[in-house]
RNA sequence: GCGGGCGUGGCGGAAUGGCAGACGCGCCGGACUUAGGAUCCGGUGGGGCAACCCGUGGGAGUUCAAGUCUCCCCGCCCGCACCA
């Protein structure tokens, strides 16, 4: 065999052979237990970046490992292929069509994935921009529509002026567009929504089922859903036939209400100020606040500002007249857009009241303390006893909450209420490169869904991509003009397309039957493969994609289309790939391209480094020298195996009889390594320590090779080399396959069963135990392995060195830890 | 502000409450060599000639024993952010 490790030749050779032999093709069903290993599919942005390489290397180790363990593994790949960058490229360069741009990128990135040697079943590849796929995205939209879960409404929505489209709440980070960081604006638009809020409680509750998800992701979703319990209370407006409904988590403090605040956009504001001397000032204020963008509007450090409307409302519990104000700190979108002001027991109300000299009334007295509104420096939100609250005096906070709610319900003044921060999912996008929303508007019949047999509603190819703020499809008469499916009259198509998160909310079902054309998927196959056993991807999708996918799955369950309630049993969120302590980015100029690394060192080195440099959840610091180290290691493996490849298979596959000395030690290490690598991959996904165990095995095999041939057992050497290759195979599939062949094996290493360690092999006759005196290591003793704690103690105390050290001291206690150490406590 | 995570050699990182620093990088020394930035072997937390002592962000505590558990503090990272 070749003296040199020629990765270029080897990797090309095996990639071609694997493809020719369909090594990674997955039959639809099998008697073996199934395992669905899925990595988040990429947006085809151009070329792979290191984050992709990390994601897919991790997934590949898991898929290969599970396959070798005997599972029937589904490991597919596809493309989240609709989206803005394609369209932006078309706008920028003029002559490139988003479809062509996308397909070019897919070709490039598919080739790159193949170069990495990832074990995908490419026959199952899907692309969300393919009509055969988005037909079913549209079909699913219709199912939601028929179920009343897709609806159109006019609302103040997040508008990104740079992307020239609306965004879902989830796509707004710190008041700015998640994609381009442009501050978002509010626009009143009529848009399509999915009623995800109808599933808020289930999405929250079922987080408990997700035992295999990181706590962090579950907490983020929990916070995002933002459940809070309280009450809705109705305040009558004085001298007017109107009422203001507030949501509060503290109905026990209603007697402490000293004012009422409305959001500037609250629909009642105009009515309240009409004809009042305050009207102009209030209108000015509302206008000013509305013109601010989200960042300026919602930053916490913004000074609270408010104005009196001139109107009053009536506290339903004590009949008091309280002034109604408008203020910038009240949000229309949350609760009812109105807040009762209880300065004594809410910090925001407290600050606001101090600023505007509004009265502060204590209605909860903390234990062992007397709150005085004059001297208070902050609101008291804790538990205590109700005071100044009429019939409720003397109750605790929690008793008060229950009692007030009961009273409100009895008198018809309000009711207990659960509120969520989660809003409905806005799915309309004023862009071209997405799945058209399958809806037709007819002057006679109104909103008419496209009949299922007319799907897909195809995207027209020739469209002008001007970013005008409305969908480019609106300027395409051939697309817009149609006939009403109901009355046959002239009608217009919906021109907005769907949020691409809709496309990615169901792709993991499609992989099971990617070319099915009568249904979105084959039910038997979905029932067989789903849920995904292991999902792997970046934590940036903790809310967006993962929440939407959970929502979709629950809807599909309710529609009877799937039999599962949660799509992803186990989730692994991989850390970022950093260079010089920062995320790789073009603007920072610290990008390392996978292409260059693969060209210089090969795919096996690239994969190995990425898996070795850090555990998968943690951020990974890129190191060129670290890559060199992994390359050196593979060369070392190459030379080791090359030096013994010749007659390796002439030895028996495993040693027979009782082994002694170096042979026994080597045999033992082989099995310890099998144990460690199996546990590190299988139980904890600690690939870095698995690799280091394999490195130790290689170091030991080098030593063993130097042992004179007369003292060496060729069966042990064979066992060591073969297991080294098998254990390394999921990490470095090409070099191990080549060496496997070079040592005389006929069948692919990737079809070999994962080895089990022999418990007999790892037992020891003698062990070294540590002797501590007052917790400090003072001696080591070699003892028989089966020694009892009492014997351990005896042996240790008999050691001359121990006797010397405890001489003249009193032994207070001796603690033997079986098989490990003995600690002697002396005074 | 709230929630979560992290802090260990020169660096990436190992350590079911039981020998801190596995493995790799870097560095130092040696071997081979005309030469090597290839390869192989050895060394490598700090102090001390040594016995020993000191060391896991800082401080306290629990324990025979703490990187690991508890409390307080400091620093960095991530998420949410006036959510009533």
């Amino acid at each position: 065999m070749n003296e040199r490790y020629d990765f270029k030749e080897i990797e090309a050779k095996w990639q071609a052979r694997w493809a020719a032999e369909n090594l990674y093709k997955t039959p639809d069903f099998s008697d073996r237990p199934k395992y669905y290993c899925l990595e988040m599919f990429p947006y085809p942005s151009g070329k792979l970046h290191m984050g992709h390489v990390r994601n897919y290397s991790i997934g590949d180790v898991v898929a290969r490992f599970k396959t070798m363990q005997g599972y029937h593994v589904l490991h597919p790949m596809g493309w989240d292929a609709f989206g803005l960058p394609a369209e932006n490229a078309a706008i920028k360069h003029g002559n490139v069509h988003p479809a062509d741009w996308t397909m070019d990128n897919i070709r490039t990135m598919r080739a790159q994935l193949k170069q990495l040697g990832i074990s995908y079943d490419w026959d199952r590849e899907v692309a969300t921009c393919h009509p055969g796929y988005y037909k079913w995205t549209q079909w699913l939209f219709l199912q939601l529509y028929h179920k009343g879960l897709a609806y159109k409404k006019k609302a103040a929505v997040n508008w990104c002026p740079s992307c020239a489209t609306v965004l879902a709440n989830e796509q707004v980070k710190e008041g700015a567009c998640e994609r381009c960081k442009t501050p978002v604006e509010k626009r009143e638009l009529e848009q399509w929504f999915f009623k995800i809020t109808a599933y808020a409680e289930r999405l929250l509750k079922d987080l408990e089922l997700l035992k295999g998800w990181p706590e962090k992701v579950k907490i983020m979703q929990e916070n995002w859903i933002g459940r809070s319990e309280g009450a809705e209370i109705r305040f009558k407006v004085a001298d007017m036939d109107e009422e203001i409904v507030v949501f509060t988590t503290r109905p026990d403090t209603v007697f402490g209400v000293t004012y009422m605040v409305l959001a500037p956009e609250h629909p009642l504001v105009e009515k309240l100020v009409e004809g009042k001397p305050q009207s102009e000032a209030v209108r000015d204020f509302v206008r000013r606040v509305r013109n601010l963008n989200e960042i300026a509007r919602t930053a916490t450090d913004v000074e609270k500002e408010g104005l009196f409307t001139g109107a009053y409302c009536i506290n339903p519990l004590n009949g008091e007249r309280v002034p109604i104000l408008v203020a910038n700190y009240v949000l229309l979108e949350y609760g009812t857009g109105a807040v009762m002001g209880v300065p004594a027991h809410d910090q925001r109300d407290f600050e606001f009241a101090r600023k505007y000299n509004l009265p502060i009334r204590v209605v909860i007295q903390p234990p062992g303390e007397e709150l005085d509104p004059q001297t208070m420096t902050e609101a008291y939100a804790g538990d205590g006893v109700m005071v100044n609250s009429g019939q409720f005096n003397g109750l605790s906070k929690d008793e008060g909450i229950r009692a007030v709610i009961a009273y409100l319900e009895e008198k018809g003044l309000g009711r207990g209420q659960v509120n969520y921060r989660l809003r409905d999912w806005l799915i309309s996008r004023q862009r071209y490169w997405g799945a058209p929303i399958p809806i037709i508007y007819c002057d006679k019949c109104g909103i008419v869904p496209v009949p299922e047999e007319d799907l897909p509603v195809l995207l027209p190819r020739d469209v002008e991509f001007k970013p005008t703020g409305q969908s480019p499809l609106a300027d395409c008469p051939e697309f817009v003009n149609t006939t009403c499916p109901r009355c046959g009259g002239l009608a217009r198509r919906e021109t907005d397309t769907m949020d691409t998160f809709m496309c990615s909310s169901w792709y993991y079902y499609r992989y099971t039957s990617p070319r099915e054309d009568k249904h979105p998927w084959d039910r038997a196959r979905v029932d067989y493969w789903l849920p995904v056993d292991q999902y792997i991807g970046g934590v940036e999708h903790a809310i967006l994609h993962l929440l939407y996918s959970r929502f979709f799955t629950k809807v599909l369950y309710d529609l009877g289309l799937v039999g599962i309630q949660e799509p992803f049993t186990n989730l692994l969120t991989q850390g970022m790939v950093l260079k010089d302590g920062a995320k790789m980015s073009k603007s920072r100029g610290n990008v390392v391209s996978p292409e260059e690394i693969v060209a210089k060192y090969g795919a096996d080195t690239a994969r190995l480094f990425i898996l070795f440099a850090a555990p998968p959840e943690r951020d990974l610091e890129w190191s060129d020298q670290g890559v060199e180290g992994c390359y050196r290691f593979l060369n070392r493996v190459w030379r080791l195996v090359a030096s013994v490849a010749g007659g390796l298979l002439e030895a028996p596959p495993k040693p027979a009889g009782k082994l002694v000395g170096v042979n026994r030690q080597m045999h033992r290490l082989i099995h310890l390594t099998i144990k460690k690598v199996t546990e590190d991959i299988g139980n904890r996904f600690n690939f870095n320590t698995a690799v280091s165990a394999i490195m130790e095995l290689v170091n030991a095999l080098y030593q063993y090779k130097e042992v004179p041939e007369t003292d060496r057992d060729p069966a042990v050497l064979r066992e060591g080399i073969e297991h080294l290759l098998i254990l390394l195979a999921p990490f470095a599939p090409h070099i191990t396959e080549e060496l496997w062949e070079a040592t005389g094996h006929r069948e692919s290493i990737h079809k070999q069963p994962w080895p089990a360690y022999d418990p007999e092999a790892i037992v020891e006759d003698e062990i070294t135990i540590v002797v501590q005196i007052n917790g400090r290591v003072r001696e080591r003793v070699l003892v028989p392995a089966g020694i009892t704690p009492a014997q351990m103690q005896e042996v240790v105390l008999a050691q001359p060195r121990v006797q010397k050290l405890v001489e003249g001291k009193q032994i207070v206690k001796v603690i033997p830890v079986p098989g490990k150490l003995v600690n002697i406590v002396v005074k």
Side-chain angles (χ1 to χ4, degrees), chain A residues 577-821:
Chain A
V577 181
L578 310 178
K579 178 84 197 291
D580 309 321
K583 188 176 176 170
M584 289 185 185
S585 74
K586 274 189 204 132
S587 57
R588 217 179 255 108
N590 61 348
V591 176
V592 180
S593 99
E595 275 183 310
E596 285 170 37
I597 297 299
V598 169
K600 194 164 170 197
Y601 301 102
D604 283 342
T605 296
R607 297 167 53 128
L608 192 69
F609 167 72
I610 259 184
L611 294 161
F612 176 62
E617 296 92 339
R618 232 191 281 183
D619 287 349
L620 180 153
E621 174 68 26
W622 187 266
S623 154
D624 292 333
Q625 287 175 332
V627 178
E628 288 273 359
C630 288
Y631 183 59
R632 270 206 296 266
F633 168 71
L634 289 182
N635 275 284
R636 206 166 137 75
V637 171
W638 180 269
R639 286 190 305 271
L640 172 68
V641 179
S643 71
V644 300
L648 196 72
L649 296 197
E650 282 157 30
K654 53 181 168 183
K658 185 145 171 72
L659 295 171
V660 292
V662 282
N663 292 322
R664 172 136 191 222
Q665 286 309 311
M666 190 65 240
H667 182 61
R668 177 164 183 268
L669 184 73
I670 293 164
H671 285 265
L672 279 175
T673 308
I674 296 170
K675 181 170 190 278
K676 173 140 182 79
V677 173
T678 306
E679 287 168 359
D680 282 355
I681 301 178
N683 305 349
R684 340 185 283 166
F685 293 131
N686 278 12
F687 309 115
N688 55 332
T689 50
V691 172
S692 65
I694 296 171
M695 288 173 168
E696 287 179 80
L697 178 63
V698 169
N699 293 342
L701 284 168
Y702 264 91
Q703 303 283 347
Y704 184 68
K705 201 163 64 86
E706 294 310 308
V707 171
E709 245 175 280
T710 46
D711 299 340
R712 218 169 61 187
D713 185 340
V716 171
L717 185 66
R718 173 173 174 184
E719 185 188 37
I721 297 291
E722 289 187 342
H723 282 88
L724 159 66
L725 293 177
I726 288 176
L727 297 179
L728 187 59
F731 299 90
H734 309 89
I735 187 176
T736 49
E737 183 80 300
E738 176 70 16
L739 291 172
W740 189 250
E741 187 190 53
T743 49
H745 293 280
R746 294 265 188 75
E747 191 187 49
S748 170
I749 193 169
H750 303 298
K751 288 186 167 176
Q752 302 310 306
W754 191 258
Y757 73 94
D758 176 5
E760 283 290 304
I762 64 176
V763 297
E764 278 181 302
D765 293 342
E766 288 188 310
I767 52 171
T768 302
I769 59 169
V770 164
V771 183
Q772 293 185 337
I773 293 174
N774 288 345
R776 293 175 176 282
V777 181
R778 288 293 184 247
E779 181 64 308
R780 275 159 235 274
V781 196
L782 198 63
V783 300
I787 196 169
T788 67
Q791 289 169 323
M792 266 170 77
Q793 188 166 331
E794 202 179 310
V795 172
V796 160
L797 288 172
Q799 295 299 309
R801 190 169 148 68
V802 172
Q803 295 206 328
K804 201 180 123 206
L805 284 164
V806 301
E807 199 179 4
K809 303 209 170 95
Q810 188 198 341
I811 296 178
V812 182
K813 208 176 185 184
V814 180
I815 299 127
V817 180
K820 286 244 172 76
L821 60 71

Side-chain angles (χ1 to χ4, degrees), chain A residues 95-148:
Chain A
N95 54 355
V96 53
H97 193 277
D100 300 336
W101 185 87
T102 302
M103 292 318 287
D104 277 354
N105 291 346
I106 288 177
R107 265 189 291 278
T108 305
M109 291 169 75
R110 186 196 294 124
Q112 286 187 292
L113 287 172
K114 288 184 175 177
Q115 268 174 27
L116 284 169
I118 316 276
S119 61
Y120 295 126
D121 178 356
W122 283 104
D123 290 349
R124 294 175 181 272
E125 181 179 4
V126 301
T128 57
C129 65
H130 191 283
Y133 185 94
Y134 72 72
K135 169 180 177 176
W136 297 109
T137 307
Q138 292 172 336
W139 186 86
L140 288 165
F141 173 93
L142 293 178
Q143 307 314 304
L144 268 78
Y145 178 80
H146 294 312
K147 200 134 203 267

Side-chain angles (χ1 to χ4, degrees), chain A residues 203-412:
Chain A
L203 288 167
L204 179 67
K205 188 88 204 326
D206 286 355
L207 287 172
E208 289 169 21
L209 304 175
L210 303 175
K211 305 263 189 281
W213 280 40
E215 216 45 46
K216 166 177 140 153
V217 173
K218 288 191 276 187
I219 289 168
M220 282 167 74
Q221 292 211 353
E222 196 179 313
N223 291 342
W224 189 261
I225 295 166
R227 182 183 201 274
S228 65
E229 264 178 55
E232 225 174 61
I233 305 176
R234 302 216 299 275
F235 286 64
K236 284 204 157 45
V237 178
D239 318 315
M240 219 183 270
D241 187 23
E242 291 289 350
E243 55 180 26
I244 296 170
V245 183
V246 299
F247 172 76
T248 177
T249 54
R250 296 296 303 276
D252 57 315
T253 63
V254 176
F255 286 85
V257 171
T258 55
Y259 61 97
M260 170 68 67
V261 219
L262 302 183
E265 304 91 337
H266 196 285
L268 219 51
V269 171
E270 182 48 38
K271 220 169 208 168
L272 294 177
V273 299
E274 207 178 346
K276 300 233 166 54
Q278 288 87 349
S279 63
E280 266 324 296
V282 171
R283 284 184 194 124
D284 278 351
F285 174 74
V286 169
R287 221 171 290 134
R288 186 157 58 79
V289 173
R290 280 190 144 179
N291 281 338
L292 295 173
N293 66 36
E294 277 293 289
I295 296 180
R297 176 75 194 275
T298 58
T300 0
D301 49 8
V302 168
E303 178 82 3
K304 289 180 179 44
E305 271 188 273
L307 269 186
F308 179 43
T309 60
Y312 291 84
C313 63
I314 310 296
N315 185 325
L317 288 197
N318 61 13
E320 276 181 14
R321 267 168 77 94
V322 294
I324 304 171
L325 291 82
V326 286
N328 60 352
Y329 76 94
V330 179
L331 306 171
L332 183 70
E333 304 88 56
Y334 184 77
T336 60
V339 175
M340 59 183 213
V342 187
H345 305 293
D346 181 283
Q347 188 57 26
R348 292 156 305 190
D349 297 347
F350 182 84
E351 287 163 21
F352 190 73
R354 274 281 143 88
K355 177 169 175 185
Y356 291 105
N357 280 318
L358 293 157
I360 296 171
R361 183 191 300 152
V362 171
V363 292
I364 297 279
Q365 278 297 358
E369 202 186 330
E370 185 88 350
L371 290 180
D372 178 358
Q374 302 299 313
T375 57
M376 281 172 82
T377 55
E378 57 178 11
Y380 177 75
D383 200 358
V385 176
M386 286 177 73
V387 295
N388 299 322
S389 299
Q391 53 174 302
F392 300 100
N393 282 342
L395 297 180
S396 73
K397 173 181 156 184
D398 288 342
E399 289 164 350
I401 289 173
R402 279 192 295 272
V404 170
I405 289 174
Y407 179 83
L408 291 169
E409 288 179 350
E410 187 197 321
K411 300 282 174 190

Side-chain angles (χ1 to χ4, degrees), chain A residues 44-200:
Chain A
S45 53
K47 289 177 177 178
L48 292 185
H49 55 66
M50 281 301 173
H52 292 128
V53 178
R54 189 175 195 195
N55 194 170
Y56 305 137
S57 297
I58 292 168
D60 201 38
V61 171
V62 174
R64 288 177 182 276
F65 173 73
K66 287 288 174 184
T67 301
M68 291 171 88
Q69 278 197 323
Y71 289 89
H72 184 218
V73 172
L74 178 60
H75 190 214
M77 181 41 69
W79 310 96
D80 187 11
F82 272 137
L84 267 183
E87 202 168 334
N88 290 343
I91 293 163
K92 199 167 159 194
H93 302 113
N95 54 355
V96 53
H97 193 277
D100 300 336
W101 185 87
T102 302
M103 292 318 287
D104 277 354
N105 291 346
I106 288 177
R107 265 189 291 278
T108 305
M109 291 169 75
R110 186 196 294 124
Q112 286 187 292
L113 287 172
K114 288 184 175 177
Q115 268 174 27
L116 284 169
I118 316 276
S119 61
Y120 295 126
D121 178 356
W122 283 104
D123 290 349
R124 294 175 181 272
E125 181 179 4
V126 301
T128 57
C129 65
H130 191 283
Y133 185 94
Y134 72 72
K135 169 180 177 176
W136 297 109
T137 307
Q138 292 172 336
W139 186 86
L140 288 165
F141 173 93
L142 293 178
Q143 307 314 304
L144 268 78
Y145 178 80
H146 294 312
K147 200 134 203 267
L149 292 171
Y151 67 95
K152 205 176 189 197
K153 76 167 176 194
K154 189 163 188 159
V157 296
N158 301 305
W159 175 266
C160 173
S162 161
C163 296
T165 185
V166 296
L167 302 170
N169 284 317
E170 288 80 1
Q171 288 160 320
V172 180
K173 301 276 170 203
E174 290 169 12
C177 172
E178 183 189 43
R179 179 180 293 283
C180 66
K181 314 293 175 214
T182 310
V184 304
E185 297 163 1
K186 287 286 180 190
R187 281 203 185 179
E188 285 278 333
L189 288 170
E190 197 164 332
Q191 302 282 294
W192 284 95
F193 290 84
F194 282 158
K195 215 180 254 178
I196 191 171
T197 52
Y199 284 76

